[in-house]
Amino acid sequence: MIGFKAKFRLATIVVLSIGVALVAIYDLLKPISNGCTMTYMYPTYIPISAPKSLSSSKYGLYLYHEGWKQIDFDEHLKQLNGVPVLFIPGNGGSYKQVRSLAAESDRAYQGGPPEPMLYQEASLMYEGFEIDETNIPILNQYARRLDWFAVDLEGEHSAMDGQVLEEHTEYVVHAINRILDQYKESQDARVKEGAVESGSLPNSVILVGHSMGGFVARAAVVHPNLRKSAVETILTLSAPHQSPPLALQPSLGHYFEYINQEWRKGYKVQNSRAGAQLSRVIVISISGGGNDYQIRSKLESLDGIVPTTHGFMISSMGVKNVWLSMEHQVILWCNQLVVQVSHTLLSLVDPETGHPTSGPRKRLAIFTKMLQSGMPGSLSGRSDFHQQSPRLPLQKGRKFFGSVRKNITACPSKIRWSDEGLERDLYIKTPTVTILAMDGRRRWLDIKELGSDGRTNFVLVTNLLPCYGVRLHLWPEKGTSMSNSPLSKRVVEVTSRIVQVPSGPAPRQIEPGSQTEQPPPSAVFWLDPKDMHGFRFLTISVAPSPTVSGRPPPAASMAVGQFFNPEEGRKEFSPKSLLLSVFSQKDIFIKEDHPIVMNITFSINLGLLPATVSLETTGCGIKKSGLPVEEAGDMNSGRLCKLRCFPPVALAWDPASGLNMFPNLNSRIIEVDSSPALWSSTQGSEQTNVLLLVDPHCSYKTSAAVSLTASARRFMLLYNSQIVGFSFSVVFFALMRQANAWELSFPVPSLLSAVESNLRMPLPFLSLAISPVLIALFYSYLSSKPLPSVGSFFVVSMICYLIANGTVIVLVLTTLILSHLVARIHVFFKTRWRWWILDLSTSFFSFKVTRVINANPSLATSLLAIVLVYFVHPALGLLILVFSHVLCCHHALCSFLTASSEARAEDLFGFGSGIKKIESEVGLPVDDHSSSSPDSTRSYGDTQLEMFHHRHGLLILYLLCLLMFLPSLVAWLERLSMSHNFPWLLDSMLCMGIILHSICNSKPEFNVFFQIPGTRGYEIRQGFVYMIAGYCCYLWGLDLAPYKAFYAIAAIGVVSFIFRIMERRNRNSRKHSHRH
């Protein structure tokens, strides 16, 4: 019996598991505000005919046309001469989802490229080499429009079944070849009508894939039927690359591993076919950020698959002109992102050839320039922002990032505004400079004087456009100099160092001449000591307000610059304060005259606990407002402060998704996160820093709190695969304890009791829960892989293991309650209507087929399960297997309840003495002298109870396997009416191994897993094998591959089956020699 402490331990784990699940579901169901603008269109979908040679007509291919007028499809196809782009929908997606991208691409082509804003572009440095962006032309208009095609995959769920995913890949390969053929057919039709064709036909198709469609795009590239160089550019939106979002089905996980391995081999072996194909392919992965609950950023990463010389991953929050996190489906129609992607794809078209740029480095440079901002993409483990600020070659010969020389571009010569001379110059004597209007003045800042006392860095935040509204120069000296070179050549313009940041809406002027609220900054300029070395002055020149090179001036102008000490702006939330913030938020007060850059450090591992950060203005230096005392306080931190303080901007670096920017922090609460504490994570990736750009004239209250709902939601989204893998290990460890009890002639414990025993401290828990974590860390050390942060990795693994135990306990309790309820009802009715049921059973069992099945129940169910596994669907075969074990459990439990009852001494169920054997396994070697229990004095009821416990443990194991295949079964049922294909051989073979495991381990006395031939006493016991299987499932869970648990069960089943056959042959040979 389980004692009170054990029950309390189990109850605590169950409450923890259910609580985390319920809180996570509650947080997932809350509405999300993403700030996206809807995209509108007038869609027309033109079907592309399939060749007669194509056997399957299940899928379709369409060409998109934007416009409300009715068109002739054949005539439109005849005029096809753009750049082909193929859209691949994701899991359950529709080909009509292409409409937003296609419509905006058409508008972008007609409207032309956006006017360059002259902000600093993103660094094009990768793996030590520099991509020369000087060869990237600045276009006045796009060379050729994009022809958007889309494949109709019937809305099938490719994320649930590996076979569906492979079929989608094969059809996409056909669609790519068909698109290229269509251009040839269109050109031939035009030539036939007398048209003169001078341009060449396209030889490649740009692939754009959403969700699983992004992975299908990569799989198509390494498909053997794809034409050479038919795909050179892939853009994915919220697509998983590392592993499936639901890594449950073995064939699905295997297909992901196979495709990723082909990509890795292709880059390593350049002379192979895959290597030659991939050497020209660029892959760009855009993630939805924190609001994408279906595909997490960690899965969308290209690390270890595509080298940084051929692609990168960027969060939508880091995409230039977007800076928004969006949900999984929203990323398809979010106008801000769709417009930027449309201009990016159009920029790939070479104006000379009319086809996408052939050079992979140049294409990568275009993607970098169009998508990434000038801000650094990540902190890379550094705590100071200035250490990641782009290096500036201020003089000829200075190096860019320490190795590559790079010249600074000055403002274009066409941008000129008057310079009134020194009499209008202002000389700043304080470390902080404020500009409130476009006054046409130049401000001089003495670097030596203002940059003393540790104030070695300079930052300027502004809403003025570089070159058009503000220009910055570094001067070696003011006035004359002994240097031979003229002063104009020794002055360096650094305006191109201004980096764009997201800004909120500009404030409205209530009436002419009235003061408006401070506008949000739209750019930041940063200089560190290395950048200012050798210079004496920094000048900030502001354009005159009436004319800004023909542009209307902004409604309100602002610029605030400051020399500051980075150490003074460092604030830290201690681990204790963050843990206590679960109950009450932790506040840090920032007084006036603070540094303009505040570096907020979270010293606790955020890999487990995401925190919310908010900023509130508490003062702005207004002591006398002319208002009553009771109103002045509110106004001081309210409307009046909005007139004086610019809205703060937050920059957070998430190692998983990159740069996240949050404008207008006054009106929002942000959630900062970090890389998950996975086995593949690196040291320091769980830490997060938040950089705040705040007005130094104002005081603030920074609040941070750990959100339990966000923590639960994030935990379940990130670690669900890990929990599933751990659940298998929990069941294997429980089966190990049952097998060991039988071997030692102890009563076989219930599965619930076995799970509870494995949770006891110190030895069981340490050996089963902590040892695999240490093995994983030791393996990473031996294989020279980066070690994760040991603390967070250990804590997260333990929590996942406890939740896995809680999941198994809930499953066990549910099946136990149902089993006892049904068994007691059965016994009750058997007792009341015994003779009537016996008559019915006698007539039913008189049929010949029924007699054969009743005599060989295990053989019959196994054959049926095998047929379903190989010819229909593995889930149906597992369902038969689970159902047979349900009947066996019910049989044993009814026998136990009947034997335990003192009302009758005879068998009430009509089963006879055959109950004592419980379905002998036909064809398997069983010792004729073996009893059903190692203890012959044990009562019949105790024997049946032990049989129930053993069968119940196997039932839970097979039930987990069935649940793993349920998503695949749903996908199979959806496409059942269209066609039927045989299951993947891998899935069928693994399920066959599970069936063999069921046959060979149905009785607890089958406790010898394998005996070394020719030896006595050297046996491998079942308990030891279950322990090894549990360790393997634990490690596979840490590797986010829970589907590999099928390998362990199948391996045990196959080896057990072979050993049973060998044992039977040895027994028969001994009997034959005895007769002679």
Side-chain angles (χ1 to χ4, degrees), residues 774-999:
L774 300 179
I775 293 173
L777 294 174
F778 184 68
Y779 174 79
S780 298
Y781 175 77
L782 291 180
S783 58
S784 300
K785 292 183 177 180
L787 287 173
S789 178
V790 177
S792 58
F793 177 61
F794 178 79
V795 172
V796 167
S797 300
M798 292 304 100
I799 296 177
C800 288
Y801 183 73
L802 292 177
I803 293 179
N805 275 270
T807 304
V808 173
I809 292 171
V810 170
L811 198 60
V812 170
L813 287 175
T814 303
T815 53
L816 277 177
I817 293 173
L818 292 176
S819 299
H820 278 270
L821 181 63
V822 174
R824 291 185 182 279
I825 294 176
H826 190 176
V827 171
F828 174 79
F829 282 103
K830 277 288 188 177
T831 306
R832 297 298 184 270
W833 295 290
R834 172 190 175 190
W835 300 111
W836 177 71
I837 293 179
L838 283 177
D839 291 339
L840 282 179
S841 62
T842 302
S843 60
F844 176 75
F845 286 108
S846 62
F847 295 105
K848 185 176 180 180
V849 176
T850 307
R851 291 199 305 269
V852 173
I853 295 176
N854 189 45
N856 307 280
S858 180
L859 178 63
T861 55
S862 299
L863 290 177
L864 178 59
I866 292 172
V867 170
L868 293 176
V869 159
Y870 276 98
F871 298 103
V872 186
H873 193 276
L876 298 179
L878 293 177
L879 181 62
I880 296 298
L881 189 64
V882 169
F883 182 71
S884 67
H885 277 74
V886 168
L887 291 181
C888 292
C889 289
H890 176 73
H891 194 165
L893 187 58
C894 289
S895 300
F896 165 71
L897 294 176
T898 303
S900 301
S901 175
E902 297 179 358
R904 296 180 181 272
E906 58 182 340
D907 179 23
L908 299 179
F909 299 93
F911 298 140
S913 59
I915 281 189
K916 298 181 180 180
K917 293 186 178 180
I918 304 294
E919 304 175 352
S920 61
E921 307 293 335
V922 176
L924 293 178
V926 182
D927 191 354
D928 296 336
H929 302 285
S930 65
S931 66
S932 60
S933 175
D935 188 359
S936 59
T937 62
R938 194 168 299 168
S939 67
Y940 170 71
D942 293 340
T943 303
Q944 295 305 307
L945 182 60
E946 290 184 351
M947 182 63 69
F948 169 77
H949 291 161
H950 174 72
R951 285 281 193 171
H952 186 239
L954 297 178
L955 171 64
I956 297 299
L957 180 64
Y958 303 146
L959 185 58
L960 285 177
C961 295
L962 175 61
L963 293 176
M964 295 273 281
F965 266 103
L966 280 185
S968 174
L969 180 62
V970 172
W972 177 79
L973 292 174
E974 288 182 346
R975 63 204 304 258
L976 187 60
S977 59
M978 293 182 287
S979 64
H980 173 69
N981 296 322
F982 292 121
W984 262 37
L985 184 61
L986 175 64
D987 293 337
S988 300
M989 292 180 63
L990 291 176
C991 290
M992 178 66 184
I994 296 174
I995 295 172
L996 294 178
H997 179 272
S998 170
I999 296 174

Side-chain angles (χ1 to χ4, degrees), residues 420-610:
E420 296 293 338
L422 296 179
E423 67 274 10
R424 300 205 61 183
D425 287 357
L426 299 177
Y427 301 92
I428 307 301
K429 298 298 183 180
T430 60
T432 302
V433 55
T434 303
I435 301 172
L436 298 178
M438 301 184 68
D439 52 11
R441 292 174 178 265
R442 180 170 55 187
R443 290 156 175 83
W444 290 81
L445 291 86
D446 191 326
I447 297 175
K448 183 177 180 181
E449 179 182 348
L450 301 180
S452 59
D453 298 331
R455 295 189 294 268
T456 56
N457 287 252
F458 178 80
V459 164
L460 175 77
V461 294
T462 180
N463 73 330
L464 299 175
L465 292 176
C467 296
Y468 295 102
V470 64
R471 301 178 71 167
L472 297 101
H473 297 79
L474 285 170
W475 299 67
E477 73 279 330
K478 185 175 181 296
T480 60
S481 174
M482 298 300 295
S483 176
N484 295 327
S485 59
L487 180 63
S488 59
K489 292 187 177 181
R490 287 180 281 116
V491 175
V492 179
E493 182 169 5
V494 290
T495 309
S496 60
R497 287 292 307 273
I498 298 179
V499 179
Q500 185 182 12
V501 296
S503 61
R508 295 182 179 180
Q509 196 172 32
I510 301 176
E511 58 184 22
S514 64
Q515 185 179 1
T516 63
E517 297 179 0
Q518 280 290 320
S522 59
V524 60
F525 172 81
W526 192 298
L527 292 177
D528 64 17
K530 293 182 179 179
D531 298 329
M532 295 182 285
H533 179 69
F535 295 92
R536 177 63 186 272
F537 294 99
L538 169 68
T539 59
I540 305 173
S541 303
V542 180
S545 180
T547 58
V548 189
S549 299
R551 291 168 173 253
S557 304
M558 64 79 58
V560 178
Q562 185 188 63
F563 286 92
F564 72 98
N565 184 353
E567 295 300 324
E568 294 179 357
R570 190 183 303 276
K571 302 292 181 181
E572 180 179 358
F573 286 98
S574 64
K576 180 180 179 181
S577 62
L578 278 178
L579 290 175
L580 293 177
S581 68
V582 174
F583 309 100
S584 62
Q585 67 180 16
K586 170 63 178 176
D587 300 329
I588 291 182
F589 292 92
I590 304 174
K591 298 181 180 181
E592 296 174 8
D593 298 325
H594 54 76
I596 193 172
V597 177
M598 304 299 298
N599 191 356
I600 308 298
T601 303
F602 297 91
S603 54
I604 193 173
N605 291 339
L606 293 181
L608 176 62
L609 300 173

Side-chain angles (χ1 to χ4, degrees), residues 569-759:
R570 190 183 303 276
K571 302 292 181 181
E572 180 179 358
F573 286 98
S574 64
K576 180 180 179 181
S577 62
L578 278 178
L579 290 175
L580 293 177
S581 68
V582 174
F583 309 100
S584 62
Q585 67 180 16
K586 170 63 178 176
D587 300 329
I588 291 182
F589 292 92
I590 304 174
K591 298 181 180 181
E592 296 174 8
D593 298 325
H594 54 76
I596 193 172
V597 177
M598 304 299 298
N599 191 356
I600 308 298
T601 303
F602 297 91
S603 54
I604 193 173
N605 291 339
L606 293 181
L608 176 62
L609 300 173
T612 57
V613 179
S614 61
L615 194 69
E616 179 185 352
T617 305
T618 58
C620 49
I622 302 176
K623 305 299 183 182
K624 297 180 181 180
S625 59
L627 297 173
V629 178
E630 60 273 11
E631 297 181 10
D634 295 336
M635 294 296 292
N636 191 41
S637 59
R639 183 175 61 86
L640 293 180
C641 284
K642 291 182 179 180
L643 299 177
R644 181 175 174 85
C645 312
F646 67 79
V649 178
L651 297 91
W653 283 265
D654 179 356
S657 59
L659 176 66
N660 299 324
M661 298 190 188
F662 305 93
N664 283 4
L665 199 59
N666 276 333
S667 59
R668 61 190 300 184
I669 298 176
I670 65 172
E671 179 180 314
V672 294
D673 214 337
S674 65
S675 180
L678 301 175
W679 191 2
S680 57
S681 301
T682 57
Q683 289 278 355
S685 62
E686 76 285 355
Q687 302 288 345
T688 298
N689 285 15
V690 177
L691 208 75
L692 300 179
L693 301 177
V694 288
D695 198 315
H697 305 99
C698 307
S699 59
Y700 299 91
K701 181 180 73 172
T702 305
S703 303
V706 173
S707 172
L708 287 180
T709 57
S711 300
R713 179 248 303 161
R714 183 180 189 275
F715 193 90
M716 296 305 295
L717 290 174
L718 288 177
Y719 305 112
N720 55 76
S721 297
Q722 199 163 317
I723 294 172
V724 173
F726 288 179
S727 298
F728 276 96
S729 66
V730 170
V731 176
F732 273 123
F733 291 152
L735 293 177
M736 172 201 70
R737 190 163 290 275
Q738 288 184 338
N740 291 339
W742 181 270
E743 180 183 355
L744 298 174
S745 300
F746 294 151
V748 177
S750 66
L751 194 67
L752 193 64
S753 177
V755 171
E756 186 277 329
S757 299
N758 291 333
L759 290 172

